[in-house]
Amino acid sequence: MNEKIETDILIIGVGIAGGTTALKLADAGHNVTVITRANEPKKSNTYWAQGGIIYTSPDDNPDLFTQDILHAGAGHTYPKAAKILAEEGPAVLKEILIDRVNVPFDLNKDGELDVVMEAAHSVPRIIHATDATGRAIEIAMLNVIKDHPNITLLTGHTAVDLLTTNHHSKDRMSLYEPPSCVGAYVFDRKERMVKRILARKTILATGGLGNIFLRTTNPKGARGDGIAMAYRAGARVINTEYIQFHPTTFHHEMAPNFLISEAVRGVGARLVHEDGTPFMQKYDPEWKDLAPRDVVARSIRQEMIERDIPNVYLDLHSYVDQSEIKSHFPNIAERCMAYGIDISKDLIPVVPGAHYSCGGVWVDEWGKTSLDQLYAVGEVACTGVHGANRLASTSLLEGLVWGARAAKDVANSLGDAPSINETIPPWNDTGQFEPDPLLIGQDMSTIQHVMWNYVGLVRAGYRLQRALRELRHLETEIERFYRVSQMTDDLIGLRNAVRTAVIVTTAALANKQSIGCHYREDAVE
Ligand code: SIN
């Protein structure tokens, strides 16, 4: 087993953003190494996206789309980034998803793409593949990626840390040169060893951080790996207090977190208590259940606190035709049924959950981070598009557009990039102890509870300070334990989760105003 791998281009993660970068570069004739921590690569954040992806329609235009993005972003969106997304999005979507990987988007009765409306969009512009758009995209993309002759896909490989000249090089003089990313230390789960992947260009595409919260719509792997690694490597990380919470995550003792799409309320379902009484009219008499996402999520929280109840419910069957339920939501129906909930006749238990990180690793319009030769694309990155709050269905498109842009920049600048850095030593394996899964589970659960209760939907300075004290103490313990333990994927995730939790909490404490999805009950105007 070779401990060292050399590659021109290393991509960490294979959701829509990493997949797009890989595909564009490989199609242009470059050899690319893609790693994913999943043994089954399709289970990325992209895979679980239910809503749709923004395309366009005859009533739409880039200016209108830009305005909608800026409006959602609560004055904090970077207009240049919003404009890029609006102007380039439809063409990139057509080129990659429709023409290159042939995603089976739903068609209307005339055989054309079925374009629908979503909350906070001025016109219909969203296309979908029933209620499992992300899954359709990920499967189509991976079908092409896994057989591409220019792509080496390494599954079951978890990035441990980014390699930088100033942190890792044996050449002492590199300390005086500008820092640069030269690849990553990567844990091969099957061989149980840490390898060096030395690369001339590295692209982070690790997805989000929802799983550092107790309730989330994200899969288990969304534990802030990319943000923590980039932070340790010295890259700028911004806007991390802006965590978008989704109002409706399926709530069942035995079930993993999963999203119940906003589209369910879009067709008429209502939020109710166990006896079927709706409550949203109390909080927003005009929009009721279709009030903005953050308003609905905070209202649910308030009901849960006041009534001391673990969840509220979505009532679909009292308000929506059976035929519509079946045709629109086959995936949600199947997943709920696995836990004994028949959405055509039962109430669906739901709670709010962390959904999307609007901030992340700062990148420019080409996906370049502040660290030389390191790029970031997708949810791990912060392009400025989402500002302080994200417009629904923009994230897949952002992954696509910045994935393609990063590929273009990498291809254009590869000739000038430094050659493989040979001064990086093999991993120094000091870990002797088998990590105790109970300890890892307990620490992860502490992080999730602290984040949910003190850094969640409604924040206040005294709670954030308390969270920071607890998280810092925990981080010291975890870091000590990490140094003496044998490597596992869970241990890597725990270390990243606590670092990301500290980053998010520090940002939330520093921002004393309520803006977008960062809501402080002690806000100063
Ligand atoms: C949803 O389907 O409710 C989520 C879609 C999104 O967040 O873009």
Side-chain angles (χ1 to χ4, degrees):
M1 172 54 54
N2 193 355
E3 169 276 329
K4 183 171 81 169
I5 296 171
E6 295 189 354
T7 179
D8 275 345
I9 302 157
L10 168 65
I11 301 180
I12 306 174
V14 70
I16 191 168
T20 299
T21 311
L23 205 52
K24 291 284 283 183
L25 283 163
D27 281 353
H30 297 281
N31 289 320
V32 182
T33 301
V34 181
I35 63 161
T36 168
R37 54 176 290 284
N39 290 322
E40 214 190 327
K42 62 184 190 191
K43 298 288 167 75
S44 63
N45 262 16
T46 301
Y47 182 88
W48 298 112
Q50 290 178 13
I53 179 165
I54 293 168
Y55 186 37
T56 189
S57 69
D59 299 330
D60 200 9
N61 64 63
D63 285 344
L64 197 58
F65 180 17
T66 305
Q67 286 315 314
D68 288 349
I69 298 172
L70 295 177
H71 188 249
H76 203 63
T77 295
Y78 187 34
K80 185 171 170 186
K83 199 160 177 283
I84 290 173
L85 189 76
E87 284 176 354
E88 298 180 10
V92 179
L93 187 152
K94 179 163 181 336
E95 179 203 329
I96 297 172
L97 297 188
I98 298 177
D99 298 339
R100 179 68 177 92
V101 304
N102 308 118
V103 177
F105 289 114
D106 291 352
L107 304 179
N108 62 23
K109 57 181 176 3
D110 300 323
E112 284 158 3
L113 284 172
D114 188 34
V115 183
V116 300
M117 181 78 180
E118 262 184 23
H121 289 268
S122 310
V123 291
R125 55 164 77 101
I126 291 104
I127 56 174
H128 52 96
T130 63
D131 60 345
T133 306
R135 180 164 69 190
I137 292 175
E138 192 66 25
I139 289 173
M141 215 167 214
L142 279 168
N143 280 342
V144 178
I145 285 177
K146 68 180 173 26
D147 296 328
H148 202 299
N150 295 342
I151 299 178
T152 306
L153 177 63
L154 302 175
T155 58
H157 281 63
T158 308
V160 179
D161 258 321
L162 294 168
L163 296 168
T164 68
T165 43
N166 54 333
H167 287 100
H168 300 98
S169 174
K170 281 191 294 192
D171 173 8
R172 285 202 255 158
M173 293 305 112
S174 64
L175 206 56
Y176 304 105
E177 301 287 332
S180 170
C181 181
V182 293
Y185 280 129
V186 169
F187 177 57
D188 177 338
R189 290 157 74 173
K190 193 151 148 256
E191 300 294 333
R192 300 196 67 177
M193 72 182 296
V194 177
K195 301 172 178 171
R196 273 175 297 173
I197 304 193
L198 303 178
R200 297 172 64 207
K201 299 268 184 188
T202 303
I203 295 105
L204 263 184
T206 46
L209 52 69
N211 208 45
I212 66 171
F213 290 88
L214 181 63
R215 312 271 177 230
T216 176
T217 61
N218 294 186
K220 268 188 84 175
R223 51 198 192 182
D225 282 10
I227 289 185
M229 284 192 290
Y231 180 91
R232 287 195 292 267
R236 269 181 81 203
V237 173
I238 61 166
N239 281 358
T240 49
E241 68 271 43
Y242 300 115
I243 306 289
Q244 186 175 68
F245 293 89
H246 197 286
T248 53
T249 308
F250 185 71
H251 183 62
H252 187 287
E253 215 186 332
M254 304 308 288
N257 302 305
F258 64 86
L259 172 71
I260 304 290
S261 174
E262 202 157 75
V264 170
R265 276 171 295 127
V267 298
R270 302 213 55 190
L271 284 158
V272 299
H273 287 300
E274 202 170 9
D275 63 0
T277 319
F279 58 81
M280 270 311 297
Q281 68 284 357
K282 227 165 64 186
Y283 297 95
D284 191 323
E286 187 186 352
W287 289 98
K288 301 185 189 79
D289 301 82
L290 291 177
R293 216 171 253 191
D294 53 330
V295 175
V296 180
R298 283 198 298 274
S299 308
I300 296 175
R301 173 186 180 272
Q302 190 58 30
E303 291 291 307
M304 284 166 52
I305 292 174
E306 271 173 23
R307 292 173 170 241
D308 193 19
I309 47 175
N311 57 272
V312 295
Y313 296 88
L314 266 172
D315 184 348
L316 190 55
H317 68 275
S318 308
Y319 300 96
V320 182
D321 281 353
Q322 291 293 328
S323 62
E324 202 169 358
I325 297 178
K326 284 204 178 72
S327 63
H328 280 52
F329 306 113
N331 167 55
I332 293 176
E334 189 187 316
R335 298 201 76 197
C336 290
M337 192 53 107
Y339 298 94
I341 307 286
D342 179 348
I343 67 169
S344 68
K345 62 179 173 64
D346 299 326
L347 299 178
I348 311 169
V350 289
V351 288
H355 184 51
Y356 192 84
S357 166
C358 300
V361 183
W362 174 88
V363 293
D364 70 6
E365 70 263 41
W366 296 103
K368 287 193 284 190
T369 71
S370 59
L371 181 61
D372 209 22
Q373 313 305 333
L374 177 69
Y375 295 70
V377 292
E379 189 172 346
V380 67
C382 181
T383 61
V385 161
H386 307 302
N389 209 351
R390 183 182 67 102
L391 179 67
S393 290
T394 44
S395 35
L396 292 175
L397 192 66
E398 188 202 36
L400 203 57
V401 169
W402 261 264
R405 285 190 144 242
K408 194 168 181 181
D409 197 82
V410 166
N412 288 342
S413 58
L414 193 59
D416 299 329
S419 47
I420 295 289
N421 191 308
E422 298 289 355
T423 69
I424 304 295
W427 175 254
N428 182 10
D429 197 353
T430 53
Q432 292 166 15
F433 300 103
E434 186 85 35
D436 179 354
L438 285 181
L439 222 142
I440 293 179
Q442 174 57 37
D443 283 354
M444 195 67 191
S445 163
T446 304
I447 295 167
Q448 290 168 333
H449 279 84
V450 167
M451 292 305 285
W452 183 246
N453 290 315
Y454 300 162
V455 198
L457 279 157
V458 176
R459 297 164 175 173
Y462 70 97
R463 282 194 221 115
L464 293 166
Q465 276 160 354
R466 172 76 183 267
L468 207 49
R469 286 197 298 275
E470 297 199 4
L471 291 167
R472 283 202 174 126
H473 170 70
L474 198 56
E475 186 174 32
T476 310
E477 285 300 315
I478 292 170
E479 206 52 50
R480 190 198 57 76
F481 172 64
Y482 169 80
R483 303 269 156 214
V484 298
S485 300
Q486 288 164 18
M487 197 63 83
T488 66
D489 174 70
D490 285 345
L491 183 57
I492 295 167
L494 178 67
R495 178 180 182 232
N496 289 333
V498 74
R499 173 72 336 235
T500 303
V502 170
I503 292 170
V504 171
T505 307
T506 306
L509 186 60
N511 188 345
K512 297 193 169 32
Q513 291 174 305
S514 284
I515 313 175
C517 53
H518 170 62
Y519 184 85
R520 286 198 50 163
E521 62 187 10
D522 57 352
V524 287
E525 289 318 311

